[in-house]
Amino acid sequence: MSKKKQPLRPKHVPQRTCFVCREKRDKRQLTRLVRTPEGPVVVDPTGKQNGRGAYLCDQAACWDKVLANGRLLNQALKTTISEADLAAIAAQRPAVNEPH
Ligand SMILES: [Zn+2]
């Protein structure tokens, strides 16, 4: 009887870099923001939407920075985000780990 060994493959977890803190994280811990071909910048929960994308991690500090200063997003996406788009993104802010 021959025993076949299953090759042990390390699980590949896709990583993305948060455009605010520049930390690499598991893709699922980041929110993709995408500048759609039509213009508006939206939250892309699928990660598959067309357009130029930037990843934002789930740290409250990073979200605070972006929502307080739309220019960070403008630089990352080479766009000029409108107040309305920024407000729409703010409304979709994920549950974050607020310091107590
Ligand atoms: Zn971050």
Side-chain angles (χ1 to χ4, degrees):
M1 275 251 250
S2 67
K3 258 190 181 174
K4 262 194 183 171
K5 264 194 179 176
Q6 292 278 6
L8 270 177
R9 252 190 230 170
K11 256 189 193 166
H12 181 71
V13 181
Q15 300 235 304
R16 293 291 182 272
T17 304
C18 170
F19 74 90
V20 178
C21 64
R22 302 281 170 198
E23 273 179 47
K24 275 196 177 165
R25 286 164 187 279
D26 184 323
K27 196 178 165 195
R28 281 170 300 182
Q29 291 179 285
L30 296 121
T31 300
R32 184 171 187 250
L33 303 173
V34 61
R35 187 188 82 196
T36 58
E38 295 79 27
V41 177
V42 298
V43 172
D44 173 20
T46 67
K48 288 171 185 165
Q49 195 155 335
N50 279 335
R52 187 186 178 93
Y55 289 86
L56 183 59
C57 74
D58 62 2
Q59 289 189 101
C62 289
W63 277 83
D64 286 345
K65 276 185 195 166
V66 168
L67 298 179
N69 183 0
R71 275 188 308 166
L72 286 170
L73 207 47
N74 291 345
Q75 284 167 9
L77 296 175
K78 308 258 190 285
T79 187
T80 304
I81 191 165
S82 67
E83 292 282 326
D85 286 355
L86 203 57
I89 289 167
Q92 293 186 67
R93 178 180 174 149
V96 291
N97 302 314
E98 299 275 1
H100 292 287

